[in-house]
Amino acid sequence: MALLALGVGCATTTKTENMLSAAGFKMMPAATPEQKAHLKTLPPDKVTMVQREGKTYFVFPDLKQQVLYVGQQAQYDEYQKLRIQNQLAQDQMSAAELNSEPAWGVWGGFGGVVEAPRSGGERPSGALWRGSFREL
């Protein structure tokens, strides 16, 4: 069985397991001592691509629960979509928290819209230009 680790670690295994389930991955309990031993050989907290009998599968070992999450390309694609949506939601929450910090008050107002100079060093049109930029 060929393995390829896909560096898809997540902050918490539970969150990963929830997304895998939501994406349609199947949970396969490790019922035999051989299956339990094999789970320990897989990269922890990573989705791994496996070629088996000419088909591509994506697997994720859950050592605590002694199960293997198994999906194919469609489930993996859905999992990636859920990961991106989750990351965007986390980024938006972080930005909202940052924007609500009272420390921004020390800067006063930012004084209107600042536009970068156009090519050739021209200032943008309009009365809102307040600042200077230099080329690096």
Side-chain angles (χ1 to χ4, degrees):
M1 179 177 354
L3 296 177
L4 172 68
L6 295 175
V8 181
C10 217
T12 65
T13 303
T14 303
K15 188 180 292 183
T16 300
E17 293 161 348
N18 290 341
M19 285 189 286
L20 289 167
S21 292
F25 276 68
K26 302 289 183 224
M27 287 176 48
M28 297 181 68
T32 68
E34 293 83 10
Q35 290 172 335
K36 291 176 183 181
H38 185 253
L39 274 181
K40 294 177 185 173
T41 68
L42 297 172
D45 300 326
K46 294 198 185 314
V47 174
T48 304
M49 185 172 68
V50 178
Q51 294 292 325
R52 196 161 172 213
E53 299 174 2
K55 294 184 179 180
T56 301
Y57 296 93
F58 296 88
V59 299
F60 180 88
D62 179 348
L63 297 176
K64 272 188 178 178
Q65 300 298 318
Q66 294 290 296
V67 296
L68 183 66
Y69 287 83
V70 180
Q72 290 187 291
Q73 190 67 53
Q75 291 80 33
Y76 181 73
D77 291 345
E78 183 65 19
Y79 167 68
Q80 291 290 44
K81 188 170 88 174
L82 292 171
R83 284 185 66 233
I84 290 168
Q85 289 172 350
N86 184 57
Q87 185 61 48
L88 288 172
Q90 287 180 353
D91 290 350
Q92 289 173 346
M93 189 177 344
S94 294
E97 289 171 359
L98 181 64
N99 287 332
S100 68
E101 288 184 10
W104 283 109
V106 301
W107 292 96
F110 287 146
V113 177
V114 177
E115 296 179 15
R118 294 189 179 131
S119 62
E122 291 178 37
R123 287 184 168 188
S125 61
L128 295 177
W129 172 256
R130 297 193 206 312
S132 62
F133 291 90
R134 45 190 175 126
E135 295 182 42
L136 300 177

